[in-house]
Amino acid sequence: RRALEEQRTIDVEYSLRIEGREVWFSAAVSPALADTVVWVARDITERKEAERRLKESEERFRALVQNAPDVIALLDENGVIVYESPAVERVLGYGPSERVGGGYLDHVHPEDRERVKSTLEETLSGASISFEFRLRSRDGSWRRVEAVGTNLLADPAVEAVVVNYRDVTERRRAEERLKESEERYRRQARELALLHQVRTALSAELDLRGVLRAAVEVTAEAYGYTLVGAYLVEDGHLVLQHYVGYDNVLRRIPLDRGVMARSVRERRPVFLEDVGADPEFIGAVEGVVSEICIPILDGDEAVGCLNVESTAGMRLAPYDLRLMVAVGEHLSDAVSRARLFTRAQESERRYRDLVERVPAVSYVLEHDRDAATSAMAGGSVTYISPQVETILGYPPAVFIEDGGFWVSKIHPDDRKSVLAEDARTDSTGEPFDLEYRMLHSDGRWVWIRDEAVLLPGESERILRWHGILFDVTELKETERALKEAETRYRTLVENIPAITYVQEVRGERSVSTYISPQ
């Protein structure tokens, strides 16, 4: 009805239930003669299903971030907070959106601002740095937080500086009380120095195996422990990931056997000053005197264990337990971060695999709204899927590296209309939908159907087009052959020495729909 009333083509998407399943179509409805329309539809079920799966994956990833125990904040290149996870309400008392749009230094203690500023500047240079500072909470009190800053501005999936921080106020207060005696102060100072080594080593790692390797090696080096190992839970077993000092080591331990398994099951440290006093001690290594098992936690889930043992008559002490508990806290934080990063990478890989397996070219084109040219003429292709080489013969890199390459390959007879439609949709925000010819690398012309929609960018100035290119050359050839056949038959009918007519019977009356010139 709209196509007839407005005398223009209307694009519409709809679904039908066919043989028990939902099938989606995209249709172009165009006015034709009298009160008739031409309805051209194509099956877009696969695209709709891909969009649904993509949205579900994004929602799962968003849930992981929003339920992380640490506060996750995203800063833009100017230090403005663009996102803060819900954990900020628990840590500082602010709602997730209350600090968004403000500067990252707004609530930092005045004595810490220069240090925080210089530390984040180091992060912008590419380093992943752990640091502590004080933040003012909603009730006016100062909360000490421990943070790790990671520069992911260059990552197109993030494009921000990621700062993970957690409230360590109570832990720091407890540490300060330890300084009341000189001896305890010296130990605490040494402990903090060694923990800083551990924290710094772990903050530089995002790969899970790299985190465990760093934890084992820096623990052995910093504290002088001779037997250190790290395990992860896999298929009902503790599986060894990295170790130092062992000649004979257990690589797989059932979760129902041994001291380490008990630590994981109960999610608490286990300290055996004398291993001979515990009947669950396995005793795979001769001469072991003491053992400390620290569970590795990701939130409330125990995902592994860090194990330290002593030999040669040396006993581990409660001081060693305290050190290893602190190491375990940092290790758990690093493991949680690494597992989250791994899930994000897997999610991104699934999205990319999905896009790159679709039998069409997907692309992202960005353009400055204030530029004098249109998006296609003056924008930049930030992504184009590998299928472009199958359809047009050019590798994706040439479209990304050369801003004018795309337009240069459009057929001269089509270029003006393509750029005009591009400029129009830039200004109106309507979907871009056009068929035109592009030059294949082998010299032939390929008919392309280009469909793109405008999605909001990070700023109002940036136009971001997400589009799909289809090769419709075969369809165009079929249409051309059909038109030529129709012309031949019409010429034949109109030149034979007899009258040819078509009479259409409609109920009790008939209507003449064609009669030849004869």
Side-chain angles (χ1 to χ4, degrees):
R1 187 181 301 112
R2 284 179 55 200
L4 290 174
E5 291 174 353
E6 301 175 12
Q7 282 298 295
R8 67 183 181 90
T9 299
I10 302 295
D11 293 322
V12 63
E13 290 184 2
Y14 60 96
S15 65
L16 299 176
R17 179 136 323 252
I18 300 175
E19 295 182 353
R21 69 185 186 94
E22 188 178 45
V23 181
W24 278 89
F25 296 90
S26 174
V29 185
S30 304
L33 297 176
D35 291 334
T36 60
V37 294
V38 176
W39 189 291
V40 180
R42 62 185 178 85
D43 187 342
I44 59 169
T45 306
E46 290 186 1
R47 190 191 80 193
K48 283 290 187 179
E49 179 63 19
E51 292 172 350
R52 183 189 65 77
R53 291 197 296 268
L54 181 62
K55 182 177 180 181
E56 289 178 351
S57 296
E58 289 175 344
E59 289 174 352
R60 286 196 296 271
F61 177 74
R62 185 179 295 109
L64 288 172
V65 172
Q66 292 185 339
N67 290 287
D70 290 359
V71 180
I72 300 175
L74 304 183
L75 312 180
D76 67 14
E77 59 186 358
N78 298 314
V80 176
I81 300 173
V82 298
Y83 172 79
E84 215 162 23
S85 64
V88 69
E89 188 166 3
R90 175 177 52 79
V91 175
L92 298 177
Y94 297 104
S97 62
E98 288 188 69
R99 295 187 349 124
V100 172
Y104 70 95
L105 292 175
D106 290 354
H107 294 85
V108 175
H109 195 287
E111 296 176 3
D112 297 341
R113 286 179 183 171
E114 285 302 318
R115 179 170 55 82
V116 172
K117 182 179 179 181
S118 62
T119 303
L120 284 177
E121 286 174 351
E122 289 184 59
T123 301
L124 290 175
S125 68
S128 182
I129 300 175
S130 175
F131 56 104
E132 290 184 11
F133 56 97
R134 287 164 288 180
L135 277 173
R136 188 178 66 249
S137 64
R138 173 181 282 281
D139 63 9
S141 63
W142 292 102
R143 309 299 296 177
R144 182 173 292 276
V145 300
E146 180 181 79
V148 176
T150 305
N151 183 1
L152 295 178
L153 285 167
D155 187 337
V158 183
E159 296 180 341
V161 174
V162 181
V163 179
N164 291 36
Y165 65 89
R166 66 184 306 182
D167 185 355
V168 294
T169 305
E170 298 303 321
R171 191 175 75 197
R172 288 294 173 259
R173 287 174 181 169
E175 292 172 351
E176 290 171 1
R177 286 195 294 268
L178 292 177
K179 297 177 183 178
E180 294 175 356
S181 71
E182 183 178 354
E183 178 62 27
R184 296 176 70 184
Y185 171 78
R186 285 198 297 267
R187 285 190 173 186
Q188 184 64 29
R190 177 175 176 269
E191 177 181 335
L192 292 174
L194 295 176
L195 285 176
H196 178 71
Q197 294 180 40
V198 174
R199 185 168 58 245
T200 301
L202 296 180
S203 67
E205 287 287 350
L206 284 175
D207 174 71
L208 181 57
R209 292 187 181 276
V211 166
L212 297 172
R213 184 185 308 108
V216 168
E217 294 180 356
V218 76
T219 298
E221 180 179 355
Y223 304 122
Y225 298 131
T226 55
L227 303 177
V228 185
Y231 292 76
L232 284 180
V233 176
E234 296 179 8
D235 299 326
H237 289 75
L238 283 172
V239 179
L240 183 66
Q241 305 297 314
H242 193 69
Y243 68 94
V244 295
Y246 290 92
D247 293 326
N248 179 32
V249 62
L250 293 175
R251 297 187 177 275
R252 291 178 65 88
I253 302 172
L255 279 176
D256 58 357
R257 180 185 175 210
V259 179
M260 280 189 287
R262 186 173 78 210
S263 175
V264 171
R265 291 195 309 271
E266 298 177 0
R267 294 182 300 172
R268 65 176 182 84
V270 174
F271 172 42
L272 303 180
E273 187 174 358
D274 179 6
V275 297
D278 194 310
E280 287 193 274
F281 178 70
I282 296 177
V285 178
E286 292 184 4
V288 172
V289 177
S290 301
E291 181 177 20
I292 294 175
C293 308
I294 305 295
I296 301 172
L297 303 177
D298 184 356
D300 293 331
E301 179 187 5
V303 298
C305 181
L306 180 66
N307 191 59
V308 173
E309 295 177 315
S310 65
T311 57
M314 184 186 75
R315 287 181 179 268
L316 298 175
Y319 171 69
D320 297 292
L321 173 63
R322 186 171 66 252
L323 282 175
M324 294 310 302
V325 168
V327 170
E329 289 181 1
H330 294 300
L331 177 56
S332 292
D333 291 344
V335 167
S336 296
R337 187 170 63 250
R339 295 182 84 209
L340 181 61
F341 180 73
T342 299
R343 289 192 289 269
Q345 282 187 317
E346 291 174 351
S347 179
E348 179 183 356
R349 177 182 54 77
R350 287 195 298 270
Y351 300 153
R352 185 174 294 274
D353 287 347
L354 175 63
V355 169
E356 294 183 355
R357 291 175 187 272
V358 172
V361 178
S362 301
Y363 68 87
V364 179
L365 177 65
E366 293 187 354
H367 177 54
D368 191 329
R369 188 187 298 272
D370 297 335
T373 59
S374 64
M376 190 173 291
S380 59
V381 177
T382 58
Y383 172 77
I384 189 164
S385 61
Q387 283 84 349
V388 72
E389 192 161 3
T390 302
I391 293 178
L392 294 174
Y394 307 108
V398 298
F399 290 87
I400 297 173
E401 296 167 0
D402 185 352
F405 185 80
W406 190 322
V407 174
S408 70
K409 300 304 175 184
I410 298 176
H411 195 288
D413 293 345
D414 300 339
R415 193 171 300 155
K416 183 177 180 180
S417 61
V418 172
L419 293 179
E421 179 65 6
D422 185 40
R424 187 189 70 80
T425 53
D426 273 354
S427 62
T428 64
E430 296 177 1
F432 180 94
D433 189 349
L434 202 63
E435 292 180 353
Y436 53 89
R437 289 163 288 182
M438 292 190 71
L439 182 64
H440 193 281
S441 63
D442 62 11
R444 58 189 171 90
W445 293 104
V446 178
W447 274 98
I448 294 295
R449 183 176 182 87
D450 188 349
E451 299 179 8
V453 293
L454 185 62
L455 297 181
E458 289 194 357
S459 70
E460 293 183 357
R461 288 181 52 189
I462 301 301
L463 300 175
R464 180 174 294 166
W465 288 95
H466 288 231
I468 299 179
L469 301 179
F470 300 93
D471 182 353
V472 294
T473 306
E474 185 176 345
L475 176 61
K476 284 291 185 180
E477 289 297 322
T478 301
E479 291 175 349
R480 181 188 59 79
L482 182 62
K483 186 175 181 180
E484 290 177 354
E486 181 182 354
T487 301
R488 287 196 301 271
Y489 297 145
R490 181 177 293 273
T491 300
L492 175 64
V493 168
E494 293 181 352
N495 286 279
I496 62 177
I499 297 173
T500 302
Y501 69 92
V502 178
Q503 196 79 4
E504 187 175 291
V505 178
R506 300 178 181 174
E508 296 182 354
R509 64 189 183 93
S510 63
V511 177
S512 180
T513 59
Y514 175 78
I515 187 166
S516 66
Q518 298 290 357

